[in-house]
Amino acid sequence: MNFSSSVCGIVAEYNPFHGGHRFHIERTREMLGEHTMIVCAMSGNFVQRGDFALLDKYARAEMAVRGGADLVLELPLAAALSSAEGFAQGAVALLHKIGCDTLSFGAENADISLFLQAADALNALSLTGGSRSGLSFAAQRQQELAGRSPAAAELLSSPNNTLGIEYCRALARFPMRPVAVERRGAGHDEAAPSGGFASASLLRRALREGNERFCLPYLPEASAEIYRRERERGGAPVSLPESTLLALLRSALFRGVLASGTADGFDERLQSAVYSAVSFSDAVEKARTRRFPAARVRRALLRAALGLAPSASPLPQYARVLALGPRGRALLRRTDGFPLIVKPSTEKRLPDEMQPALRLDAFADDLYDLARPVPLPGGGHYRKTPFYLSEQEGSNQ
């Protein structure tokens, strides 16, 4: 195994893994060399917009490995359900721990110098929350950044660029270099395919509506086969369980633990919405405002329903392996000192201070399993093992 090549990290949700994701991996290897190892830090069963993933983390990780990744690790739950800043911090720290020397991300503008300029400018700002004019934190930040660097501020108008800036900010703490791959085709949340690609949100909507045929041109063959397999098993499509989540939120409200950890009036708004709502989505609608966007509300409510403390750090304490190929397995062998979870039995041997986070992971997975079209009994978290793509299988794809 040649380890002189680059080990490049990619942060993703792969919800689901589609043609645009495969293009990103292929283009990254074109830029860095064909022997570049690709390590993905992927959200688990819950994603950053505050939702349940379309299908479970092991199936999505398998899609990624069959689509060109060498190793897929689970992003910490606290990072997966954080703002862009926490999401990026947790992901970059995880990729650094596993030995990545490069980070590749997709962006509407692939000029890395602009991203680094924007990251430096944002690091010089000292914002603590929404402005008195009622702007959201993100809008206020873009407004203030425009006074320092109009070109950098313009990057913040795209969600993908926003994450790219946050990755560059997080990289200031780690010796990894950033590379940007210019996105092609449909952008984030676009309602129609473009240039041969479709957005993940459009594909999720179609799959949840049962329109699998529409999605086939935009999914790699392996992704389509995995989705079809999971659907036939009763594992997809998974939708957010409205009543169950509201019941958990009412319980948190009753126990006085429904809080986001902020002092900007957000908690009071969440509590009022949960008390008067008749579903999770209704609570989101009641709590959202110009200052408190729906994505922030959804994340806060889902964190509260899961029992994830507002103070929970997005930084990784351990890495859970979801899928890997031969080069990924070899890379794991040279990772020293950082706890790796490959088999469920490994969790019991980890230090006591890690056990609360591990138990929360198990609870979150059990809750997710109840939301499947065919619900599963508890304990599935301890019965799952990573998908392994053998060298022979990989050469046949």
Side-chain angles (χ1 to χ4, degrees):
M1 186 69 63
N2 176 19
F3 283 117
S4 62
S5 56
S6 175
V7 182
C8 182
I10 290 176
V11 187
E13 293 185 327
Y14 296 147
N15 189 33
F17 185 93
H18 56 64
H21 297 133
R22 183 173 62 184
F23 169 79
H24 181 197
I25 291 175
E26 291 172 348
R27 180 64 181 134
T28 297
R29 282 205 172 97
E30 287 177 12
M31 296 168 68
L32 301 178
E34 62 178 320
H35 298 297
T36 299
M37 286 181 280
I38 301 293
V39 179
C40 298
M42 189 190 81
S43 298
N45 287 331
F46 302 90
V47 294
Q48 204 231 354
R49 69 182 299 269
D51 197 3
F52 284 47
L54 180 75
L55 66 167
D56 82 19
K57 57 191 179 185
Y58 288 97
R60 288 165 28 244
E62 179 184 348
M63 289 178 175
V65 168
R66 291 192 181 278
D70 293 301
L71 176 64
V72 183
L73 305 172
E74 183 177 3
L75 195 62
L77 182 62
L81 289 175
S82 287
S83 65
E85 183 177 5
F87 184 87
Q89 287 176 355
V92 170
L94 177 61
L95 293 169
H96 171 70
K97 294 280 190 183
I98 211 70
C100 293
D101 52 59
T102 310
L103 176 72
S104 174
F105 59 86
E108 311 300 334
N109 183 328
D111 185 348
I112 276 293
S113 65
L114 272 181
F115 283 90
L116 294 173
Q117 180 183 339
D120 288 343
L122 281 180
N123 285 337
L125 296 179
S126 56
L127 301 180
T128 58
S131 68
R132 292 180 181 176
S133 65
L135 292 177
S136 68
F137 176 76
Q140 182 194 0
R141 190 168 69 164
Q142 184 175 11
Q143 187 180 81
E144 295 205 12
L145 182 58
R148 295 171 177 265
S149 171
E154 179 63 25
L155 292 177
L156 288 173
S157 62
S158 165
N160 288 294
N161 288 342
T162 299
L163 277 173
I165 294 170
E166 292 299 342
Y167 296 145
C168 289
R169 292 182 71 196
L171 286 175
R173 300 172 53 190
F174 302 103
M176 297 166 63
R177 72 182 176 103
V179 296
V181 173
E182 187 171 355
R183 290 175 55 86
R184 291 187 182 176
H188 179 81
D189 263 354
E190 283 192 6
S194 173
F197 296 106
S199 68
S201 58
L202 177 63
L203 295 174
R204 286 194 300 275
R205 185 161 57 250
L207 290 170
R208 281 172 171 154
E209 291 171 353
N211 195 357
E212 195 172 319
R213 183 183 298 274
F214 167 83
C215 300
L216 292 178
Y218 310 108
L219 295 173
E221 184 177 348
S223 292
E225 290 178 356
I226 292 166
Y227 180 81
R228 191 174 300 114
R229 180 195 73 199
E230 294 302 306
R231 175 177 53 74
E232 291 172 353
R233 290 176 176 177
V238 174
S239 297
L240 183 144
E242 297 278 354
S243 297
T244 300
L245 289 181
L246 185 62
L248 290 170
L249 289 169
R250 289 279 182 87
S251 175
L253 181 62
F254 174 75
R255 291 180 286 113
V257 294
L258 178 55
S260 67
T262 62
D264 55 0
F266 188 46
D267 286 354
E268 291 79 2
R269 192 161 187 89
L270 291 179
Q271 292 160 8
S272 174
V274 166
Y275 185 74
S276 60
V278 295
S279 69
F280 181 89
S281 294
D282 186 35
V284 173
E285 288 303 310
K286 284 180 163 60
R288 67 182 296 187
T289 65
R290 184 185 179 200
R291 187 182 181 193
F292 305 135
R296 179 184 174 187
V297 173
R298 291 175 67 90
R299 281 195 300 270
L301 291 178
L302 188 50
R303 288 173 68 103
L306 290 169
L308 183 60
S311 60
S313 172
L315 301 180
Q317 301 178 61
Y318 46 82
R320 178 171 287 103
V321 178
L322 300 178
L324 68 168
R327 296 199 302 181
R329 174 176 282 183
L331 179 61
L332 289 181
R333 293 195 190 105
R334 64 172 190 158
T335 304
D336 298 322
F338 186 58
L340 293 171
I341 300 172
V342 180
K343 297 180 179 180
S345 57
T346 308
E347 298 190 24
K348 298 178 182 178
R349 299 196 295 270
L350 293 179
D352 289 346
E353 59 267 22
M354 296 183 186
Q355 294 304 317
L358 291 165
R359 288 194 295 270
L360 182 58
D361 288 347
F363 170 71
D365 286 350
D366 282 347
L367 179 61
Y368 182 88
D369 283 343
L370 284 177
R372 295 169 181 262
V374 179
L376 295 178
H381 173 89
Y382 299 106
R383 294 188 289 270
K384 294 287 185 70
T385 55
F387 167 77
Y388 179 68
L389 181 70
S390 68
E391 198 159 357
Q392 183 177 3
E393 279 186 287
S395 63
N396 290 335
Q397 293 202 108

